[in-house]
């Protein structure tokens, strides 16, 4: 089924509340040093891939390197930088896939996902410049990981690929999702699972695998993933309406499928965001009060999940990926009048 744009929401404005209640965001103190190393690394690889100067300039301006600095504000700097390289690599893949969906790069359709999965699976990158980029990012980040840490991250990457297939099936079939059916699928497709899976590694914590793989921390990580997904849905809604991707967006489901008015749908989405924050805090407190609550490093890990959730919010206000080309965030505005446009969410106090 072809993509069906919905341009009727573009230009419409809603009132946007604060997206965080109790959690507070921090920015990693080494964020400028991370940028200083990742930017030339990114440009080098995009040049090798044959991507034009304008494509490269726009991509670099989105500041994907800054996202790990927000979600891991207390991470070890070299590991935050390694995470930034992987974030950039996955974002390149995502942007190329979007180009393919627009019919701009059909020759790369099969290669993008296959290149990344091959590298993650341990295969040498060969001559494909995208695979070379992925291998540098992946091997640089994971070389110091314990096997169990790498296993969790690999599982998260495979979940992301599965989630992309889920989203594609929804678009091709025209299936109408309810919000309850959508949320578990979105946990795969947002692509945040690898980054919550590597939290203990980036923070330099040594927690037992049975605790990290146990139901309480798995639930806490999934709440962080879903919170980040719902925030992303809000900021991506205008662009996804323009590109016909709205059937796999919480706001699109609430507004177009469930029939809520645009302000009512936005309010409901923000309620879901707040509820996931509350649930994460409740699970964290239950773990702290449980039989292993005094374990060294556990409190730092739970705080790290809170930082992950909190930091994802200002990044969405900060990045031109969501604010549009040339966007500069004032560092203060996190609520107000939000206007959905085809390339951005414009938020004014």
């Amino acid at each position: 089924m072809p993509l069906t744009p919905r341009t009727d929401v573009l230009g419409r404005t809603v009132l946007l509340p604060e997206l965080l209640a109790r959690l507070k965001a921090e920015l990693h103190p080494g964020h400028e040093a991370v940028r200083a190393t990742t930017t030339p690394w990114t440009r080098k690889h995009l040049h090798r891939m044959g991507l034009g100067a304008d494509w490269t300039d726009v991509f670099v301006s989105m500041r994907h390197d800054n996202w790990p600095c927000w979600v891991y504000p207390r991470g070890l700097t070299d590991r935050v930088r390694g995470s930034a390289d992987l974030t950039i690599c996955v974002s390149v893949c995502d942007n190329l896939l979007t180009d393919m969906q627009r019919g701009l790069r059909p020759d790369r359709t099969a290669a993008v996902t296959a290149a990344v999965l091959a590298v993650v699976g341990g295969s040498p990158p060969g001559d494909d410049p995208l695979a070379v980029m992925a291998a540098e990012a992946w091997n640089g980040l994971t070389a110091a990981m314990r096997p169990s840490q790498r296993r969790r991250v690999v599982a998260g990457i495979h979940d992301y690929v599965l989630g992309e297939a889920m989203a594609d099936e929804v678009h091709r079939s025209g299936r109408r999702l309810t919000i309850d059916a959508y949320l578990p699928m979105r946990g795969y497709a947002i692509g945040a699972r690898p980054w919550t899976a590597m939290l203990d590694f980036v923070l330099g914590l040594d927690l037992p695998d049975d605790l990290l793989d146990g139901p309480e921390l798995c639930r806490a990580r999934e709440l962080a993933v879903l919170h980040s997904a719902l925030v992303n849905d809000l900021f991506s809604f205008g662009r996804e309406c323009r590109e016909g991707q709205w059937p796999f967006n919480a706001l699109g489901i609430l507004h177009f499928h469930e029939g809520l008015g645009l302000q009512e749908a936005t309010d409901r989405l923000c309620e879901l965001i707040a509820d996931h924050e509350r649930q994460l805090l409740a699970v964290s407190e239950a773990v702290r009060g449980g039989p292993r609550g005094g374990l060294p490093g556990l409190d730092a890990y739970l705080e790290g999940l809170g930082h992950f959730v909190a930091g994802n919010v200002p990044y969405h206000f900060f990045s031109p990926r969501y604010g549009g080309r040339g966007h500069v965030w004032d560092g203060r505005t996190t609520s107000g009048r939000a206007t959905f446009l085809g390339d951005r969410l414009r938020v004014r106090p």
Side-chain angles (χ1 to χ4, degrees):
M1 175 174 290
L3 301 180
T4 55
R6 291 294 300 256
T7 58
D8 45 316
V9 301
L10 301 184
R12 295 178 61 185
T13 298
V14 296
L15 296 178
L16 184 68
E18 294 291 339
L19 299 179
L20 294 171
R22 292 172 53 190
L23 293 171
K24 303 298 181 184
E26 299 178 14
L27 181 61
H28 194 282
H31 64 96
E32 288 297 342
V34 170
R35 182 186 189 186
T37 55
T38 57
T39 298
W41 180 84
T42 302
R43 288 187 176 277
K44 174 187 72 176
H45 281 288
L46 297 187
H47 176 72
R48 289 176 178 175
M49 292 167 63
L51 296 167
D54 188 63
W55 198 101
T56 298
D57 287 344
V58 170
F59 181 85
V60 169
S61 76
M62 292 178 182
R63 293 298 309 276
H64 300 95
D65 61 280
N66 203 248
W67 182 74
C69 296
W70 279 109
V71 300
Y72 302 133
R74 299 184 188 178
L76 303 178
T77 302
D78 62 329
R79 296 182 180 183
V80 173
R81 183 269 162 99
S83 171
D85 287 347
L86 188 63
T87 301
I88 289 164
C89 183
V90 171
S91 298
V92 170
C93 294
D94 183 64
N95 282 27
L96 289 175
L97 286 167
T98 298
D99 283 355
M100 293 168 204
Q101 289 163 353
R102 295 173 184 162
L104 300 180
R105 299 178 188 276
D107 57 311
R108 299 288 287 167
T109 302
V112 169
T113 301
V116 174
L117 288 180
V119 166
V120 169
S123 299
D127 296 329
D128 187 324
L130 176 59
V132 171
M133 184 184 193
E136 281 193 22
W138 177 253
N139 295 332
L141 174 66
T142 63
M145 284 185 180
R146 298 193 311 270
S148 59
Q149 290 175 320
R150 183 189 285 244
R151 169 181 56 78
R152 279 186 286 271
V153 179
V154 169
I157 290 174
H158 281 274
D159 282 352
Y160 175 44
V161 174
L162 180 59
E164 288 289 288
M166 291 177 183
D168 183 62
E169 186 276 330
V170 169
H171 293 309
R172 285 188 295 102
S173 67
R175 182 152 59 101
R176 294 169 63 99
L177 296 173
T178 65
I179 198 69
D180 290 336
Y182 168 76
L183 282 173
M185 299 171 67
R186 188 64 168 123
Y188 286 81
I190 185 59
R193 285 184 180 175
W195 278 265
T196 57
M198 70 177 75
L199 177 63
D200 59 310
F201 172 75
V202 176
L203 295 179
L205 302 175
D206 187 17
L207 292 170
D209 290 326
D210 69 308
L211 178 62
L212 290 167
D213 293 331
E216 295 89 355
L217 291 191
C218 284
R219 175 60 178 159
R221 288 196 297 271
E222 190 64 4
L223 287 165
V225 165
L226 290 173
H227 188 285
S228 68
L230 292 168
V231 170
N232 183 267
D233 281 359
L234 171 67
F235 280 81
S236 301
F237 179 58
R239 176 177 56 81
E240 292 183 357
C241 282
R242 183 196 68 194
E243 295 175 355
Q245 302 288 336
W246 57 268
F248 204 78
N249 179 295
L251 196 49
I253 292 168
L254 291 167
H255 180 49
F256 296 122
H257 286 173
E258 298 194 3
L260 300 181
L262 189 58
Q263 181 66 61
E264 189 180 5
T266 303
D267 292 343
R268 175 62 180 137
L269 176 59
C270 293
E271 289 170 6
L272 286 169
I273 292 171
D275 183 58
H276 281 75
E277 180 184 349
R278 286 191 295 269
Q279 289 188 62
L280 174 61
L281 290 169
V283 171
S284 298
E285 286 306 306
V287 172
R288 286 189 178 98
R292 306 176 78 175
L295 197 67
L298 179 58
D299 196 57
Y301 183 85
L302 295 171
E303 286 184 355
L305 281 174
H307 290 144
F308 187 96
V309 163
N312 181 62
V313 172
Y315 174 74
H316 279 75
F317 283 98
F318 160 83
S319 174
R321 182 177 182 90
Y322 306 103
R325 190 171 186 175
H327 166 71
V328 178
W329 182 43
D330 63 11
R332 299 184 304 274
T333 301
T334 52
S335 63
R337 295 172 292 111
T339 303
F340 299 106
L341 301 171
D343 64 341
R344 69 188 72 192
L345 180 70
R346 187 179 65 202
V347 184
R348 297 288 183 266

